[in-house]
Amino acid sequence: MATTYVISVAAQLAGMHPQTLRQYDRLGIVIPARTKGRGRRYTPRDVERLRQVQRLSQDEGINLEGIRRILELEAQLDEASDELSALREEVASLRYRVAQHEERRDRIFAASAQGDVLPLRRGRRAAPRKEGAELVHVPRPGPLVRITQSGAVVLVPNS
């Protein structure tokens, strides 16, 4: 179970008065979880946020409405960053899938004069073309085939 603090402990950890924490809760600046009896329970993240509010208020002179807006924008930025990371992962995955598809699509096969079938990349040729050699396009990878002198197609076991 995650660590939580009652209001008096959270106030002490943040260096504030408990009434200040109640005020921040009412203003929506730092909203703690609640128990069934409606008691406030602050997480370590809430305490850090309280310290941030204190720094912005005392060191930077920002009023509470400005602090609330800053915290709201930071939360939106975190959400957008998470979404951007997820989208980047999805783009990388889609690029990989497209590259795999392109690789399969670009495969062609050449039949030698002896009937051997050689896999080639699109735009490439087998060794110097001999008379009787022909290019064969196979849309899906499958078993190797051999074309005999008579033109018969024979399956060659994969080894």
Side-chain angles (χ1 to χ4, degrees):
M1 185 172 175
T3 303
T4 59
Y5 308 106
V6 295
I7 192 168
S8 60
V9 174
Q12 186 177 17
L13 290 171
M16 299 176 173
H17 191 277
Q19 192 59 38
T20 304
L21 274 63
R22 290 184 188 94
Q23 175 75 10
Y24 290 171
D25 185 10
R26 280 192 295 277
L27 294 174
I29 294 174
V30 178
I31 304 170
R34 299 283 186 149
T35 64
K36 288 182 182 180
R38 303 287 296 148
R40 294 173 174 89
R41 292 296 182 264
Y42 291 84
T43 65
R45 189 174 193 284
D46 291 333
V47 172
E48 183 52 41
R49 193 168 173 155
L50 289 166
R51 290 178 183 148
Q52 181 184 11
V53 169
Q54 189 173 36
R55 277 191 305 273
L56 289 170
S57 175
Q58 293 178 355
D59 298 345
E60 303 295 328
I62 300 172
N63 66 24
L64 292 180
E65 181 56 30
I67 292 170
R68 188 192 63 71
R69 184 68 178 138
I70 288 170
L71 296 175
E72 180 182 297
L73 289 170
E74 284 179 346
Q76 289 176 1
L77 179 60
D78 288 344
E79 186 179 315
S81 293
D82 291 345
E83 186 176 343
L84 179 60
S85 293
L87 289 171
R88 284 184 173 153
E89 287 177 20
E90 185 176 351
V91 165
S93 173
L94 289 171
R95 283 186 175 150
Y96 176 76
R97 289 174 55 198
V98 166
Q100 283 183 322
H101 176 72
E102 289 293 321
E103 186 177 308
R104 283 192 301 269
R105 185 184 67 89
D106 286 347
R107 275 193 277 187
I108 59 173
F109 296 87
S112 70
Q114 294 80 23
D116 295 324
V117 176
L118 308 168
L120 297 175
R121 303 271 311 149
R122 186 176 299 281
R124 302 280 181 153
R125 287 188 149 198
R129 200 167 183 177
K130 297 182 180 174
E131 197 163 320
E134 55 183 285
L135 294 178
V136 179
H137 182 266
V138 179
R140 295 180 194 246
L144 295 176
V145 295
R146 183 178 186 98
I147 303 172
T148 65
Q149 291 289 348
S150 64
V153 177
V154 179
L155 292 177
V156 177
N158 292 334
S159 47

